Amino acid sequence: MAVDWFRHLNEALGPILLDAETIQNRVVELALQITADYQGRTPHLIGVLKGATIFHADLIRAIGVGVSVDFIAVASYGSGIKSSGEVRILKDLDESVEGKDVLLVEDILDTGLTLHYLLENLQSRNPQSLRVVTLLSKPSRRQIDVHADYVGFDVPDKFVVGYGLDFDQRYRNLPYICELILPPGTIADL
Ligand code: IMP
């Protein structure tokens, strides 16, 4: 299998934290909760590129009410692992969110700086409602108090890759989420 090949070639991949089945089961649970909460409405699911793409695609297919979708791309990390604390919009939404029931779909909530920025930005565009679903959260890393309405998994303070999450644009295609063991010295930057 291509994925195992990849693992063999790269010694930086550490233990699997969440296997594919565990992720899929939790995505379905989140989708059931969202389906119940949005009865009679059409949630507008905004995926945050690029990390949330896999989660977004699986989540919308498991939701049992009609949805609309859009995407936004922000830069909060460069090609490494350290947050700059600065958030910029690289690609804005295609459509207005005014009057819509927006559900922002994030891959991981780390310091919270990206989500804080996105929530303020989207709120200023007058949606009908604004909620957040994040697949992962690292509560111990939070620098700003920000709330996610739906959280897939709390994870420890480890750098993780797979299921959309990258390191230097790699590993997004792994079907599981695993720790990335970084070369000595890299961690000192965190
Ligand atoms: P925050 O602004 O610090 O909350 O960072 C959020 C963004 O940082 C996420 O959307 C990811 O793109 C990236 N990020 C944070 N932690 C990780 C990780 O462990 N692996 C991969 N990307 C991460």
Side-chain angles (χ1 to χ4, degrees), residues 98-111:
E98 192 163 349
K100 293 184 179 160
D101 288 307
V102 171
L103 183 52
L104 190 65
V105 183
E106 263 282 22
D107 54 355
I108 185 164
L109 183 48
D110 186 25
T111 63

Side-chain angles (χ1 to χ4, degrees), residues 40-86:
R41 293 188 285 164
T42 304
H44 187 61
L45 278 86
I46 297 178
V48 183
L49 297 172
K50 302 170 192 159
T53 50
I54 312 281
F55 177 42
H56 185 275
D58 283 346
L59 187 68
I60 61 171
R61 283 179 292 177
I63 289 177
V65 293
V67 304
S68 53
V69 302
D70 207 342
F71 295 93
I72 191 166
V74 293
S76 54
Y77 278 58
S79 60
I81 55 175
K82 191 181 176 190
S83 173
S84 61
E86 190 186 308

Side-chain angles (χ1 to χ4, degrees), residues 76-77 83 106-115 138 158-161 165-166:
S76 54
Y77 278 58
S83 173
E106 263 282 22
D107 54 355
I108 185 164
L109 183 48
D110 186 25
T111 63
L113 295 169
T114 308
L115 184 58
K138 289 184 196 168
K158 310 262 187 213
F159 196 83
V160 295
V161 293
L165 289 142
D166 77 308

Side-chain angles (χ1 to χ4, degrees), residues 7 10-19 155-156 158-162 174 176-182:
R7 168 168 278 274
N10 204 309
E11 295 175 12
L13 288 182
I16 292 179
L17 295 186
L18 300 163
D19 64 33
V155 291
K158 310 262 187 213
F159 196 83
V160 295
V161 293
L174 296 174
Y176 48 77
I177 290 172
C178 68
E179 190 184 334
L180 192 72
I181 310 292
L182 297 159

